[in-house]
Amino acid sequence: MASYWAVATSPDNEVVGVAGLGGLWLDEQLTEGIERPAEIFSVYVARPWLGLGVGRVMVADVEARARQLGFSDLLAVSGTRHKEVGYPFWNRRYGTPARIDPDYWAE
């Protein structure tokens, strides 16, 4: 499976969010001991739509699709550039992160 995309649109049919699901090219360090891992990636919600449940709905859709496709575990990886919005979202949804790596993109 290459990928699946959940796309959220406004009543005016404007794209206000996306969330991806992929099962290929996962880092072996993250997936050791996992039978059928998948990754939720590129979850973005337009700023005016933050806090309105758009992200929750898209992630629930991606989780359901992962179950339908038979994946055993779902990884969520978030970079440090998303500390303000992404980290709190993922912490509320999945709890404390399994690990936190150094910021490879810091200047």
Side-chain angles (χ1 to χ4, degrees):
M1 180 202 147
S3 63
Y4 167 79
W5 290 95
V7 179
T9 57
S10 72
D12 297 331
N13 224 19
E14 174 188 2
V15 173
V16 297
V18 296
L21 170 68
L24 302 174
W25 307 296
L26 298 175
D27 185 332
E28 290 180 13
Q29 289 182 354
L30 298 174
T31 61
E32 186 175 342
I34 300 174
E35 188 177 326
R36 286 211 59 217
E39 180 182 12
I40 186 167
F41 62 89
S42 298
V43 178
Y44 294 99
V45 176
R47 284 217 178 262
W49 293 85
L50 290 174
L52 300 176
V54 174
R56 287 188 300 274
V57 170
M58 289 188 308
V59 169
D61 181 46
V62 168
E63 290 169 341
R65 180 63 136 198
R67 280 190 296 277
Q68 288 173 349
L69 294 170
F71 288 105
S72 62
D73 291 87
L74 189 60
L75 305 172
V77 179
S78 184
T80 55
R81 67 185 181 272
H82 305 295
K83 279 184 182 178
E84 188 179 304
V85 177
Y87 282 22
F89 174 84
W90 295 116
N91 288 344
R92 281 190 307 275
R93 186 135 193 118
Y94 297 122
T96 305
R99 74 183 224 199
I100 298 175
D101 293 331
D103 185 357
Y104 293 105
W105 305 107
E107 296 185 23

